[in-house]
Every structure is written in structure tokens, then in C-alpha cells.
Amino acid sequence: MDFALTEPQETIRKLAADFAAREVSPIAAAIDREERFPAEVVKRLGELGFMGMNVAAEFGGAALDTVSYIVALEEISKACASTGVIMSVNNSLVCWPLETFGNDEQKNRVLAPLARGEKLGAFCLSEPNAGTDAANQQTRAVRDGDHWVLNGLKNFITNGANADVLIVFAMADPEKKHKGINAYIVDTDTLGFAVIAKEKKMGLRASDTAQLAFDNVRVPAANLLGQPGEGFKIAMSTLDGGRIGIAAQALGIAQAAYDSAVAYAKQREQFGRPIASFQAIQWKIADMRTRLDAARLLTLRAAWLKDIKVRHSEESAMAKLFASETAGFVVNEAVQILGGNGYSKEYPVERHFRDAKICEIYEGTSEAQRMVIAAGQLR
Amino acid sequence: MDFDFSETQLMMRDMVRDFARREVAPLAREMDAQGEIPEALVAKLRESGFFALAFPEEFGGLAVDTISYALVVEELSRASAGVAIMVTVHNSVGSYPLAMFGSPEIKRRFLPRMAAGEIAAFCVTEAGAGSDAAALTSTARRDGDVWILEGSKLYVTNGARAAFFVVLARTPGTSGHRDIHAFVVERGSPGLTVAKKEDKMGLRASDTVALDLADVRVPADQLIGREGDGFRIAMAALDAGRIGVAFQALGIGYACLDEAVRYAKVREQFGRPLADQPVIQNMLADMATDLDAGRMLGFRAAWLKDRGRPCSKEAAMAKLFATEAAGRAADTALQIHGGYGYVKEYAVERYYRDVRITRIYEGTSEIQRLVIARRLLAES
Ligand SMILES: Cc1cc2nc3c(=O)[nH]c(=O)nc-3n(C[C@H](O)[C@H](O)[C@H](O)COP(=O)(O)OP(=O)(O)OC[C@H]3O[C@@H](n4cnc5c(N)ncnc54)[C@H](O)[C@@H]3O)c2cc1C
Ligand SMILES: Cc1cc2nc3c(=O)[nH]c(=O)nc-3n(C[C@H](O)[C@H](O)[C@H](O)COP(=O)(O)OP(=O)(O)OC[C@H]3O[C@@H](n4cnc5c(N)ncnc54)[C@H](O)[C@@H]3O)c2cc1C
């Protein structure tokens, strides 16, 4: 066992932390308030190699390991959770399946610009009637000569309004149920594609979450990702990795809230002494940090398993479940430690409190993670 | 980052798992009922080197690394928490003070005997000194070549069987933590008597006794460290001990998970196994996640310790989280067993009682939180 980051991993962490402190933290409150997509930050992340961190160099990526990606993502999310999810969707949910299931032509044509950060990707699985029950895809794909024709709606798509490239799941053979689902690469300038709504959200407000419509969208047959019928498998294995990213995002949010709360507790005085000297506050701090450390270790374990190419569905689910629920706990305690100030937008914990909640919902709710973990225990 | 165990660590774990299944588990229920560990099992543990685990090689020990040690404790504890605590008290708080702070002479005299299986105990707690260990009132008065100990000690694990006692006592008339000294006292020293054996809720296989110290004369060369080092020595020993208690709790916790999974698969109600019920599945998922989180904290603390790095805070986090996670796991496992979980035919009934102590000894959960918070506030 070795619980230390390697030197290269530590270098990446520092790079991410410095970048986040210099270019992300200063705008985080404003882009949250204005619901503004941080295009300039995303461009800089691309230049740093952070939009395709695990992609091979020949396809434009930074060729780093998952642990490096996870620690970088935590640092970015600590500054701004919205920026974290933009980065995590491009890396985990778009680049990863393209590199894993794509052919060389697709990797050169589609993956490389995404990995270099020249283009932005989105992952389109959820639909109005396919949330946790993702296999219930109603978007239809019908073969027509050299093309597939897509019709349907996608819901809650992160990066949806800003993306250049989409990975779209659609039902090609309803009789086969989840084995009839295909995955497609779709350019957003294709005729018939439209962004029909942008969600107004509690948190993650600088990240756009869009409803997308596909109206007779013609996709070249060369843009089928993987084999026919492989779509659901692609989606699920992608989410196994994506969940580690969401765990890292949750850790970043929680660490930021924890840091703010400790700093505040040491400086705020009541009854003639710092509130940090009260046992009740010390208890909160001990529990917050103990759980945060445990969550980080579970997350790094899952990332490490992914790096050594061992099946990690359960461990990713544990990391995601535990880290997101820990984040919920930590931000709540942080607001409590700041008292009235914690409820005010003057202090960043107010934003952390709103941002944390989504980690328990997307890429599989906590309830869905528990199903994955239980299945493993009962196997 | 590397979460793999080494070959040696895995070998050690497998050997102990096998031993625990063969030699310990079949006796666990009976040991709990009788309130004692049979001498024959102690002899087997001795032959297999369990009492030499943490000792330096030059004194006949196995000097296993802390991660191996953690794996050993977890496996033993899965079979019997009472046996596990006998082994851990001996290998940590009972001997660590000598190994870390003892003079070369003390080490040479006592450690080989301990490593050979003469059992050690650790005596800090008194009627008026529990969490507030520095409130202890047993006294040690220097008289020429000997120290004379007076007082009484409570809750001494291994006390009925121990050959050696690490005893903390203070200079008469003092208070606070400065004037506390640590001694190693041999069984049979005149004036050292076992006053009573506690009758406990759980961990019944392990003996816990009260000791009387009446005019006990201890040779001056059995002072551990220097005069006044006692409190520091005790705290350092407890730091080391906490990792062991964390894994003791985890062993019980994983045993609960195993039993819960097994039971949920075979028990049918409403025409299908309990395991088919989403609510039961949720319980299993939470147990597994919680325990794994505790385990990661435990291994991190062990890893730091092996590197000689400070690990008080991390050991406290591991102890706090693992013991509470194991407590939740025992509660859930019992719930999954329904009424059957409440009867002694099912092992979870014992696990439920056994696990409760882990949140109390070697520093209560409350004390761990204070330790953690103080360190965090000092470092940020
Ligand atoms: C900000 C944001 C960004 C998102 N980004 C993306 C994206 O980029 N791409 C994408 O495809 N999707 C995205 N999503 C969608 C997200 O993944 C879904 O919201 C999520 O999977 C849950 O689906 P749902 O909202 O339909 O909830 P439902 O599935 O309707 O669930 C509602 C509740 O019921 C519970 N539940 C459902 N089924 C069961 C069951 N069998 N047993 C027990 N409990 C159950 C759920 O756990 C939950 O508590 C995003 C969502 C948000 C809010
Ligand atoms: C089976 C068993 C084996 C043991 N083995 C040993 C052994 O081998 N050697 C040994 O020396 N001792 C041993 N002990 C003693 C054990 O370490 C103590 O019981 C433990 O330290 C707690 O002390 P106490 O029982 O006096 O509780 P108290 O200290 O009286 O605590 C009672 C409650 O008050 C809380 N509390 C106390 N102080 C504070 C505070 N400042 N802030 C907030 N809450 C506080 C505690 O957390 C606890 O909840 C053993 C005990 C048992 C039951």
C-alpha cells in the first residue's frame, strides 16, 4: 500500500490548484449569480490539457492516469463546482467512451479536438421518462441507407447548449429492450437538432443543463459508436468511471466548505472566545474532516482500480455514494458553523450548500448506487 | 497511490484467516458463554506466534508491519473479538511502552519473554480516572532501589492471565500529568492482587479485572523511560493501540456483513428471499460502504505509522469512524435477522454486544473527536 501521490500526480494537483486559485475562484461567485458559462476558463482548461486528461497523446490527450485526473478535478471543483462538472463530463462521459469504444477514424476525427479542448462534448442519456431507469429510451433511431435517423427528446444535458459534439443514446430495436440501444456521435450543427430549453437550477448555475430535441436528425452510419446494440453497455461502463469524477467533484465542494468553516470558527468570537473553542463546534469539525478523508480514500481507491484495469463498479458506486452524501453533510455543518453568515451570499458556503446537492442525484442517484453495491454484495 | 497489499501481507492474512476459522471460530460461542479463553487455545496462539507479532526481531519478535498487523487483528476479530483484544492489548499497549521507551536493559529482560507468549497488560484506568487519565491517584514513592506502588486499577484487560503489567502511578501529593511514571511489574510481586473479575455485556471471552496495589515493591530499573514520562508513554501507546481497536471493530463489522448477506439470501418471507427486498439491499449497501470507508482510514493510519510519520490524528479518525461504522453494521445485521438476531443461536447476537466496547476503550468516540479537532485546529 502507498497512500502518497506520486511526484507526477502531485505536480498535476499543484498545477490544478494554482490555476483554480488564479483563474477560477475569483469569478466563481459571479458566474453562479449570472448563470454564465465560463467559456474563457474552459478554453484555458483545454490549453492545460485538462479536457482530455486520460486520452492517449496520439489522440490529443494528456495521457495521464485516473488518479491525476481525480485530484485535478477535485481542485477545480473546490474553486467552482460548475467548472468541475463541465470538465468532468468532457473527460469522463465523452472522451472516455470515444477512446474506449470508438474506431481509429472516430478517434482521429472526433476525439482529438475534444481532448485538446478545441471542441466541447455532452453525454445524452437522460430523457423525460428515462432517469434512473435509463434503459427506457424513447428516442428512436431508424436506419435509412448510409444514415441513421434520430427522433426524440433528451433531458438535463450538461454542456448541452454549448457543446459541439454529443454522444446520444437511442433505441434502434425496441424488441431487444436495453440490448436494442445504440450510441451515436452527433454534431450539434446537424439539421434537426435544437436546444429547446435551459434549466433554471438551485446550484451548478454556471453549468448549462439543457433540454435537447432531435427532429429527423440524420447521422452518418460512420458515427455509430461501438457495435449495434452496445449502447446501454457503453452508457453503464462510462458511468462507472464518471461516478469517480462526481465523487471528486463532491470532495472539492466539501473541502472548500470545510476550509471556510474552520477559518471562520477560528476567527469568529462569541462569549469572549473563538467559537472553535466550543466543544460543539470542535465535534462538527472532527466529523466533517473524518468523513471527508474517508470519502477521499474511497474515491482514490476507485480511481486506482480503474488505472490498474480491474472491475470497479461497486467501488465507484461506494465512492460516489459516500462522497456525495459526505458533501451534503459537510456543507450543512459548514453553514451551521457560519450561522447567519452561512446563509448569506457574501460567503461562499452558501453556494457550496446549493452545489453539493446535485452530486447525490446525477450519474445515478444515491439510491441507484446502493443497488449497484448491494448487487455486488449479494453476488 | 497503491491500494494493493504485498505478497507477504496477503500470505499473513490468509494464514490467520485459516487459523481463525479452524481454531477460533468454532469455540467463539462457548468462550462467550463461559467467559473465558481455554488455555489450549492460548497455547496454540502462542505457538503460532500471535504474541510475537509486533515485537522487534532481535527480541524474538516477528516485527510485522502495521498493515499486516491490522489484517491479522481483523481476521482474528471476525472469529472472536475477545481473542482479538487479548492479542492486541499484548502487542500494543501492554508492550509498546517497553519497546519504545524502555532502557536496553528492560527490553533485553522483558521483551523476549513477552514475545515468547508471556502475556502483557496495561493499567491506566482507575475509578476516578477514565477519559481523564491524568486524574489517576495510584502512587509511586521512591525508596532507595525500589519504587513502592499503592492504589488500585480498574478494567485491566488480560489481568487474570498476564505475566507483566505496565502500571502508571504518580508521585504522592502531585496532580496533573507531569509527575506520572510508568513501570513494568511482574505478576506475583507481593501486594499485587486481582481484586475481582468484571462480568461484562460482551467481549466476555476476554478477562477484565480490577487490581489492588498494596505496598508493591518494584525495582528501580523497572521504571520505563524517565521519571515523569508516564503520561506521554501512555498516550503514545494508546495512539498505537487505536489502530488495533479500529481493526478489531472492522473484524466484527465485516462478520456482521457476512452474516447479514448469508441470512438475507436464505430467509424467505412473502414468498421470496429478504435479499430481494430493496430496503434490505440498501442496508447491505450502507454497511459495506461504511466499513470500507473505515478500512481505508485504518490502512492510511497504519501506513503512516510504518513510515514513522505522525499519525495521532489519523489513528483517531480510523478508530472513531471504524468503531461507529461497525456499531451501525451490528445494529443493521441484527435488524436483518429480526427476532432470530436476538437469540444466541445466531452469531450477530454476540457481535452486537461485542462491538459496543470498541467505542469506549482506548479513548471514547468523544475523546477521539476532541483529539482530531484539536489537531485540525492547530494545523490549519
Ligand atoms: C444539473 C443536472 C445535470 C445533469 N446532467 C446530465 C447529463 O449530462 N447527461 C444525462 O444523460 N443526464 C444528466 N442529468 C440527469 C440525471 O442523471 C438524472 O436526473 C438522474 O439520473 C435521476 O433521474 P430523474 O431525475 O429522472 O429521477 P427519477 O429516476 O425519476 O428518480 C426520482 C427519485 O426516485 C428514486 N428512484 C428511482 N427509481 C428507483 C428504484 N428502482 N428504487 C428506489 N428508488 C428509485 C431516485 O433515486 C430518486 O430519488 C443531469 C441532471 C441534473 C439535475
Ligand atoms: C472491557 C474493557 C476493557 C478495558 N481495558 C482496559 C485496559 O486494558 N487498560 C486500561 O487502562 N483501561 C481499560 N479499560 C478502560 C477504558 O479505557 C475506559 O473505560 C475508557 O477510557 C472510558 O473511561 P470511563 O469508563 O471512566 O468513562 P468516563 O471517562 O467516565 O466517560 C463517560 C462518558 O463521558 C464522556 N466524556 C468524558 N470526558 C469528556 C469530555 N471532556 N468531553 C466530552 N465527553 C466526555 C465519555 O466520552 C463517555 O461517554 C477497559 C474498559 C473496558 C470496559
Side-chain angles (χ1 to χ4, degrees):
Chain A
M1 289 198 148
D2 186 350
F3 286 87
L5 293 178
T6 61
E7 240 179 70
Q9 288 164 347
E10 184 56 30
T11 306
I12 294 294
R13 196 196 60 74
K14 278 220 185 71
L15 178 67
D18 289 348
F19 172 77
R22 233 181 19 248
E23 301 189 35
V24 188
S25 290
I27 62 165
I31 61 178
D32 168 63
R33 192 170 55 244
E34 297 158 14
E35 296 184 276
R36 178 158 59 81
F37 182 82
E40 62 290 356
V41 169
V42 173
K43 182 157 171 291
R44 290 281 293 122
L45 285 171
E47 290 162 10
L48 286 172
F50 279 15
M51 293 304 272
M53 291 188 78
N54 302 137
V55 175
E58 61 171 316
F59 301 118
L64 292 164
D65 60 350
T66 313
V67 169
S68 298
Y69 163 54
I70 286 308
V71 296
L73 185 54
E74 179 183 338
E75 292 295 344
I76 301 294
S77 303
K78 192 169 143 188
C80 170
S82 295
T83 307
V85 76
I86 296 167
M87 173 177 157
S88 127
V89 164
N90 202 73
N91 276 278
S92 293
L93 302 191
V94 180
C95 288
W96 188 83
L98 283 171
E99 185 167 28
T100 308
F101 299 98
N103 56 39
D104 278 354
E105 187 275 323
Q106 292 169 336
K107 289 189 211 175
N108 283 311
R109 174 168 56 92
V110 186
L111 174 58
L114 285 164
R116 285 194 295 264
E118 296 156 8
K119 288 190 172 177
L120 184 67
F123 176 85
C124 310
L125 179 65
S126 300
E127 299 182 356
N129 290 312
T132 304
D133 185 10
N136 184 31
Q137 294 283 308
Q138 318 262 291
T139 298
R140 289 299 311 271
V142 177
R143 185 76 190 233
D144 180 21
D146 282 349
H147 284 79
W148 291 87
V149 181
L150 304 189
N151 275 292
L153 281 178
K154 291 290 172 180
N155 232 15
F156 289 135
I157 305 306
T158 299
N159 296 348
N162 288 283
D164 307 288
V165 179
L166 311 173
I167 293 186
V168 180
F169 297 88
M171 184 61 85
D173 190 348
E175 301 222 314
K176 290 195 183 144
K177 305 220 169 105
H178 69 277
K179 289 195 171 136
I181 297 171
N182 291 352
Y184 300 93
I185 302 162
V186 180
D187 282 336
T188 53
D189 55 13
T190 314
L191 210 65
F193 167 77
V195 176
I196 55 177
K198 276 167 72 172
E199 305 294 341
K200 290 279 184 194
K201 306 192 299 299
M202 170 200 294
L204 277 197
R205 289 161 53 86
S207 151
D208 65 291
T209 312
Q211 191 169 41
L212 309 179
F214 298 80
D215 181 12
N216 283 316
V217 171
R218 295 180 68 81
V219 180
N223 278 12
L224 177 73
L225 181 62
Q227 299 302 310
E230 247 192 341
F232 192 69
K233 190 186 102 188
I234 292 175
M236 291 303 114
S237 59
T238 300
L239 289 173
D240 272 351
R243 281 164 189 157
I244 313 175
I246 301 308
Q249 186 198 18
L251 290 175
I253 300 170
Q255 185 69 49
Y258 168 83
D259 289 346
S260 296
V262 170
Y264 188 88
K266 289 172 84 163
Q267 144 275 301
R268 169 74 174 169
E269 297 204 352
Q270 286 293 283
F271 302 97
R273 46 191 191 133
I275 59 169
S277 68
F278 300 129
Q279 235 181 45
I281 300 292
Q282 293 182 1
W283 270 50
K284 289 185 197 298
I285 289 171
D287 280 333
M288 289 159 85
R289 184 58 186 272
T290 299
R291 292 203 211 175
L292 193 45
D293 279 17
R296 186 172 290 113
L297 292 168
L298 286 177
T299 305
L300 289 167
R301 177 179 69 164
W304 170 81
L305 284 169
K306 185 158 191 290
D307 279 331
I308 61 163
K309 303 198 164 41
V310 171
R311 203 187 116 88
H312 54 88
S313 306
E314 277 168 70
E315 288 83 358
S316 295
M318 284 185 177
K320 202 256 182 195
L321 170 65
F322 194 89
S324 62
E325 296 200 339
T326 293
F329 168 77
V330 169
V331 295
N332 190 44
E333 293 292 51
V335 168
Q336 197 66 22
I337 290 174
L338 269 76
N341 281 334
Y343 204 66
S344 154
K345 289 195 190 283
E346 288 283 309
Y347 288 82
V349 295
E350 184 273 341
R351 171 166 50 89
H352 302 321
F353 183 86
R354 289 181 287 108
D355 284 346
K357 184 62 201 173
I358 189 58
C359 301
E360 294 171 67
I361 298 173
Y362 59 16
E363 302 206 17
T365 61
S366 290
E367 294 70 26
Q369 306 309 321
R370 288 190 170 91
M371 289 185 234
V372 173
I373 299 162
Q377 292 299 318
L378 289 165
R379 203 178 308 116
Chain B
M1 284 284 158
D2 180 359
F3 289 84
D4 249 342
F5 300 113
S6 69
E7 290 282 321
T8 348
Q9 288 163 348
L10 286 177
M11 243 170 56
M12 177 91 72
R13 184 198 63 188
D14 292 346
M15 268 162 45
V16 174
R17 180 176 290 178
D18 187 53
F19 177 91
R21 280 194 187 147
R22 232 181 26 234
E23 307 287 351
V24 185
L27 307 179
R29 187 176 165 198
E30 193 55 21
M31 290 191 288
D32 175 61
Q34 299 301 324
E36 132 182 302
I37 302 171
E39 209 37 64
L41 177 56
V42 178
K44 279 185 190 152
L45 287 161
R46 190 175 286 133
E47 279 159 30
S48 308
F50 282 95
F51 297 111
L53 285 171
F55 291 77
E57 277 168 337
E58 54 174 318
F59 302 115
L62 297 172
V64 304
D65 63 283
T66 313
I67 290 176
S68 300
Y69 178 71
L71 291 168
V72 168
V73 174
E74 189 183 288
E75 291 300 332
L76 264 189
S77 186
R78 260 182 202 238
S80 163
V83 170
I85 195 64
M86 172 175 70
V87 169
T88 55
V89 163
H90 171 86
N91 278 288
S92 64
V93 286
S95 55
Y96 187 86
L98 287 82
M100 286 308 291
F101 300 95
S103 63
E105 167 66 10
I106 282 194
K107 291 184 189 172
R108 205 183 44 72
R109 263 178 73 199
F110 295 100
L111 293 181
R113 290 174 64 190
M114 289 182 176
E118 291 186 60
I119 294 173
F122 176 70
C123 319
V124 178
T125 305
E126 297 177 0
S131 301
D132 184 9
L136 63 87
T137 57
S138 291
T139 57
R141 179 166 54 83
R142 180 81 189 238
D143 181 13
D145 283 350
V146 297
W147 288 82
I148 300 170
L149 306 191
E150 292 280 353
S152 57
K153 292 288 173 182
L154 259 191
Y155 294 137
V156 179
T157 299
N158 293 347
R161 198 178 246 127
F164 306 106
F165 300 84
V166 170
V167 178
L168 276 86
R170 66 165 61 257
T171 305
T174 61
S175 63
H177 59 262
R178 286 221 184 78
D179 299 292
I180 297 176
H181 325 294
F183 303 92
V184 53
V185 183
E186 287 200 60
R187 173 171 224 93
S189 304
L192 176 90
T193 49
V194 171
K196 82 163 183 202
K197 201 174 149 188
E198 305 292 345
D199 190 8
K200 308 190 297 296
M201 171 199 297
L203 220 64
R204 295 174 55 82
S206 155
D207 59 288
T208 315
V209 309
L211 282 185
D212 269 345
L213 304 163
D215 194 27
V216 180
R217 292 172 173 266
V218 182
D221 59 7
Q222 287 176 216
L223 173 76
I224 306 172
R226 283 165 313 180
E227 284 182 38
D229 276 352
F231 191 73
R232 193 167 64 89
I233 291 172
M235 291 304 117
L238 286 170
D239 259 3
R242 278 165 193 161
I243 298 175
V245 177
F247 282 92
Q248 186 200 14
L250 289 166
I252 307 172
Y254 281 108
C256 289
L257 178 59
D258 288 348
E259 286 303 304
V261 166
R262 201 187 53 71
Y263 190 80
K265 282 179 168 171
V266 298
R267 172 70 172 171
E268 297 206 359
Q269 286 292 284
F270 301 101
R272 51 190 186 143
L274 293 179
D276 284 1
Q277 304 286 353
V279 165
I280 302 290
Q281 292 176 9
N282 274 347
M283 290 175 170
L284 297 175
D286 281 337
M287 288 165 82
T289 305
D290 236 13
L291 292 170
D292 273 19
R295 221 164 172 245
M296 292 300 116
L297 288 173
F299 286 131
R300 178 182 65 168
W303 176 82
L304 285 169
K305 180 160 181 285
D306 280 338
R307 260 142 211 80
R309 307 243 294 265
C311 64
S312 302
K313 181 186 73 192
E314 289 80 3
M317 285 184 174
K319 200 244 175 205
L320 169 64
F321 193 90
T323 59
E324 299 202 337
R328 290 189 288 272
D331 189 68
T332 309
L334 196 152
Q335 194 68 17
I336 290 175
H337 279 70
Y340 295 89
Y342 204 68
V343 301
K344 292 193 185 284
E345 235 152 86
Y346 287 82
V348 293
E349 186 272 341
R350 171 165 49 85
Y351 301 153
Y352 186 85
R353 289 182 285 109
D354 283 351
V355 79
R356 190 63 186 82
I357 187 59
T358 62
R359 282 190 274 156
I360 298 173
Y361 58 24
E362 305 210 10
T364 62
S365 286
E366 293 70 31
I367 296 303
Q368 305 307 324
R369 286 188 172 89
L370 296 179
V371 168
I372 295 163
R374 254 177 241 142
R375 302 251 168 194
L376 289 172
L377 288 165
E379 76 191 22
S380 68

